[in-house]
Amino acid sequence: MKTAVIYATRSGTAEKCSEKLSEMLAGESAIINIKKVSSPDLSGYDAVIVGSSIRIGKVQKEISEFVQKNLETLKEKRLGVFLCMGAGEENFSEYLSRNFPKEFLDKCKAKGFFGGDSISRDWDSFQR
Ligand SMILES: Cc1cc2nc3c(=O)[nH]c(=O)nc-3n(C[C@H](O)[C@H](O)[C@H](O)COP(=O)(O)O)c2cc1C
């Protein structure tokens, strides 16, 4: 099984999570920063995990564009998704459904709520 972990980050959390995740995966994996490689070749991968942080309720635009553009190809793969976010887990499914097509989410075998860094905790309390 060959897996691509495709992520977008603003300040590094989603990158760190991608690295940890990739270490945990069985088989071969590649970590791809979508801001550096905007159209990755998915043909060699059996599985794709898409990850992003949330800013003002949204995933990074490069990640949503990537999913929109490659939806049909992605649907042929084993899929996973994760979010880095400051808000609590009770907001996780809402953020997912606001940011990704239902067709994509329905096919995801794993959905990871990975929390956020310390900035995110400040952000969370700032909002209350
Ligand atoms: C300007 C800004 C806006 C943010 N907006 C949200 C938000 O709307 N909801 C949320 O859950 N977390 C929010 N966060 C927290 C981030 O998702 C969190 O810090 C995350 O770890 C950042 O990941 P990154 O370093 O991969 O970009 C925000 C953080 C910043 C700095």
Side-chain angles (χ1 to χ4, degrees):
M1 164 95 72
K2 207 173 161 190
T3 306
V5 181
I6 300 180
Y7 74 92
T9 185
R10 284 291 286 269
S11 46
T13 320
E15 183 171 56
K16 277 186 228 154
C17 290
S18 300
E19 285 161 4
K20 290 248 178 222
L21 188 56
S22 149
E23 284 166 20
M24 288 168 58
L25 295 170
E28 234 184 285
S29 63
I31 305 172
I32 300 169
N33 180 343
I34 197 70
K35 294 190 184 183
K36 293 191 178 149
V37 182
S38 58
S39 301
D41 178 7
L42 301 177
S43 60
Y45 298 102
D46 313 293
V48 177
I49 299 171
V50 170
S52 177
S53 55
I54 293 280
R55 288 223 170 178
I56 329 282
K58 291 193 166 169
V59 296
Q60 315 285 307
K61 83 169 184 331
E62 290 85 351
I63 276 292
S64 44
E65 284 170 8
F66 165 76
V67 171
Q68 287 290 353
K69 208 168 121 196
N70 295 282
L71 189 55
E72 293 311 312
T73 311
L74 287 170
K75 278 159 63 186
E76 307 289 304
K77 314 277 182 193
R78 180 180 286 256
L79 293 177
V81 65
F82 73 83
L83 293 179
C84 294
M85 50 188 273
E89 194 162 4
E90 66 278 9
N91 299 93
F92 179 57
S93 18
E94 193 195 326
Y95 279 150
L96 282 179
S97 54
R98 244 200 257 164
N99 284 285
F100 294 104
K102 186 174 183 303
E103 286 176 85
F104 170 79
L105 292 173
D106 286 349
K107 276 230 60 190
C108 286
K109 281 189 176 285
K111 295 176 183 149
F113 165 75
F114 287 180
D117 59 20
S118 56
I119 299 169
S120 56
R121 283 196 293 275
D122 297 344
W123 174 259
D124 198 29
S125 47
F126 170 74
Q127 282 183 310
R128 279 159 211 276

